[in-house]
């Protein structure tokens, strides 16, 4: 297997580390790739959550998916609970509304139709879709995992 060497500068002494070609390519990709860690949500994303998403979740979802009643093993009252998902699996994929069970359920595709009593309005679905596509921002709480949705938000 052909070997690639990467120059490593240390003080005034140059050293060479010899790596197999695939390892060198992987190392280069990792150095150039964007970080895979979650970023702090920006102010606009948090404003969108507080003005559109939180009221929607409180008004339409917490009656069945909150701290006192947990249907389908799903709670929607904290970031940690949402990250856990429910009996049907992972609820959302931050940044990918089209791959998120939440969006599938509120758009009434497949087996799930939420909320069950009546469909959400198109602007409410659009607000949830934007929230997920923008990374599903959630205000930080004292536990570091996200604030409790039922807590006062102002």
């Amino acid at each position: 297997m052909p070997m690639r060497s990467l120059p490593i500068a240390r003080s005034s002494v140059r050293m060479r580390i010899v790596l197999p070609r695939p390892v060198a390519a992987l190392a280069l990709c990792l150095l150039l790739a964007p970080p895979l860690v979650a970023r702090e949500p920006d102010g606009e994303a948090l404003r969108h959550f507080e003005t559109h998403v939180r009221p929607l979740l409180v008004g339409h979802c917490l009656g069945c998916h909150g701290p006192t009643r947990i249907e389908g093993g799903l709670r929607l009252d904290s970031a940690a609970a949402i990250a856990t998902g429910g009996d049907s699996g992972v609820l959302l994929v931050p940044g990918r509304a089209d791959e998120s069970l939440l969006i599938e359920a509120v758009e009434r595709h497949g087996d799930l139709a939420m909320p069950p009593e009546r469909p959400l309005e198109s602007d409410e679905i659009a607000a949830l879709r934007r929230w997920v596509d923008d990374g599903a921002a959630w205000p930080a709480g004292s536990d570091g995992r996200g604030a409790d949705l039922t807590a006062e938000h102002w």
Side-chain angles (χ1 to χ4, degrees):
M1 173 184 299
M3 303 294 262
R4 269 271 203 243
S5 64
L6 296 176
I8 305 288
R10 183 171 221 140
S11 304
S12 62
V13 178
R14 284 186 68 101
M15 297 173 44
R16 285 185 107 62
I17 297 177
V18 179
L19 299 172
R21 182 170 281 185
V23 174
L26 177 62
L28 183 61
C29 287
L30 290 174
L31 287 171
L32 298 176
L36 298 176
V37 295
R39 299 179 319 218
E40 272 301 308
D42 64 24
E44 179 56 34
L46 289 174
R47 270 189 296 286
H48 178 74
F49 174 82
E50 293 294 357
T51 59
H52 299 287
V53 177
R54 181 191 294 261
L56 199 154
L57 293 174
V58 170
H60 294 284
C61 305
L62 292 189
C64 296
H65 301 288
T68 58
R69 187 170 165 198
I70 306 169
E71 294 206 7
L74 178 64
R75 287 182 64 173
L76 299 173
D77 59 330
S78 73
I82 287 178
T84 300
D87 295 345
S88 297
V90 176
L91 182 64
L92 59 82
V93 180
R96 297 182 178 157
D98 288 332
E99 298 174 27
S100 297
L101 186 57
L102 172 68
I103 302 304
E104 182 180 320
V106 299
E107 289 182 344
R108 297 174 172 258
H109 299 292
D111 295 334
L112 293 174
M114 294 292 151
E117 62 277 354
R118 73 163 182 81
L120 293 177
E121 299 294 328
S122 60
D123 62 324
E124 293 172 318
I125 294 171
L128 285 174
R129 183 174 273 285
R130 174 182 164 194
W131 175 62
V132 175
D133 277 338
D134 288 349
W138 197 280
S142 60
D143 65 358
R145 294 177 296 170
D148 180 348
L149 190 63
T150 58
E152 290 298 320
H153 64 283
W154 297 114

